Amino acid sequence: MPRLDADGCVLRAFRGDDLPLVLEAARDGAITRVTTVPQCADEYRARTWIRMQQARVADRAGFPFAIADAVTDEPLGQVGLWFSGVGAGRARVGYWVPAAHRGRGLAGRALRRLVPWAFEVAGVERLELYVEPHNVASQRVATGAGFRWEGLLRAWETIGAERRDMVMYSRLPSDPEARCATPPASTAGAPSPAPVQ
Ligand SMILES: CC(C)(COP(=O)(O)OP(=O)(O)OC[C@H]1O[C@@H](n2cnc3c(N)ncnc32)[C@H](O)[C@@H]1OP(=O)(O)O)[C@@H](O)C(=O)NCCC(=O)NCCS
């Protein structure tokens, strides 16, 4: 895994000493409901989760990066690419930042750095992102990295005990880097695409 500079933070491989970040994320329901971070994980389960990230890299099943402070190397979140369940040339992106570190632009900077690396180094030809319609912060992160709104996937995924609609975004190498429009929350499930810049 490379170490990528991302404007005040870095993207790097997960390490065993990132345990406090995973324990923090495990207590954050907004993260555990949409990621593989185990809810209320103890140290054993958190260490197992870190080993799972390392195994994904080894198996080429994905590239899970820790987002870390560029000066202190303190881990602050995750951003990554995942290849399971998508066709050749495609990858899903995902990211999370625990509540204590949100609102500082970390996810946005991390995703904007990941995108060119995915296209130029990892050989991805189409990036995809699935977001719950109410998750405006995540949609801002996506559009800030040039992702385009594609549509509403009805009952796409089981989250908790329920089938949930998901909004799909994508990014192609030919798309402009500038922010694309986010549909207003009231029309996030509208059938026609939102205008893009
Ligand atoms: C989504 C998430 C990663 C954002 O992390 P972050 O580091 O705070 O994101 P950033 O600071 O880069 O940007 C957030 C953007 O959303 C906006 N935002 C934040 N909270 C918001 C809210 N409640 N309503 C509307 N906009 C909001 C910010 O103003 C910012 O917009 P800008 O780029 O126009 O300035 C974080 O909230 C999180 O981990 N959520 C739980 C897990 C999750 O949902 N992951 C994504 C799954 S698809």
Side-chain angles (χ1 to χ4, degrees), residues 10-172:
V10 294
L11 311 187
R12 61 158 173 79
F14 271 93
R15 304 189 306 241
D17 62 356
D18 293 331
L19 194 64
L21 171 73
V22 183
L23 291 171
E24 189 180 3
R27 293 190 301 270
D28 190 324
I31 294 175
T32 57
R33 74 189 298 274
V34 293
T35 71
T36 57
V37 176
Q39 192 175 15
C40 300
D42 57 13
E43 285 199 10
Y44 174 80
R45 293 177 72 205
R47 279 188 209 287
T48 303
W49 185 88
I50 291 174
R51 279 197 293 271
M52 194 168 87
Q53 308 316 302
Q54 295 163 339
R56 281 183 169 150
V57 180
D59 298 345
R60 290 288 183 264
F63 290 104
F65 287 91
I67 307 167
D69 185 281
V71 176
T72 64
D73 212 32
E74 177 193 0
L76 302 167
Q78 183 187 36
V79 66
L81 297 178
W82 286 270
F83 301 114
S84 60
V86 294
R90 288 157 45 196
R92 277 182 302 122
V93 301
Y95 37 81
W96 53 258
V97 173
H101 308 300
R102 286 180 197 146
R104 293 161 44 188
L106 282 169
R109 280 181 278 155
L111 185 62
R112 286 194 294 276
R113 182 63 188 92
L114 182 69
V115 165
W117 184 83
F119 292 143
E120 292 159 21
V121 182
V124 176
E125 294 166 305
R126 174 183 155 93
L127 289 167
E128 299 178 350
L129 173 70
Y130 303 88
V131 191
E132 287 184 274
H134 67 79
N135 194 343
V136 179
S138 180
Q139 294 182 55
R140 295 291 297 172
V141 170
T143 57
F147 279 71
R148 292 191 186 198
W149 186 89
E150 287 201 340
L152 184 76
L153 303 168
R154 295 181 303 150
W156 181 251
E157 199 171 317
T158 301
I159 297 180
E162 284 179 42
R163 296 298 297 181
R164 308 287 299 195
D165 297 345
M166 301 297 274
V167 182
M168 182 169 191
Y169 285 83
S170 69
R171 174 81 153 82
L172 304 183

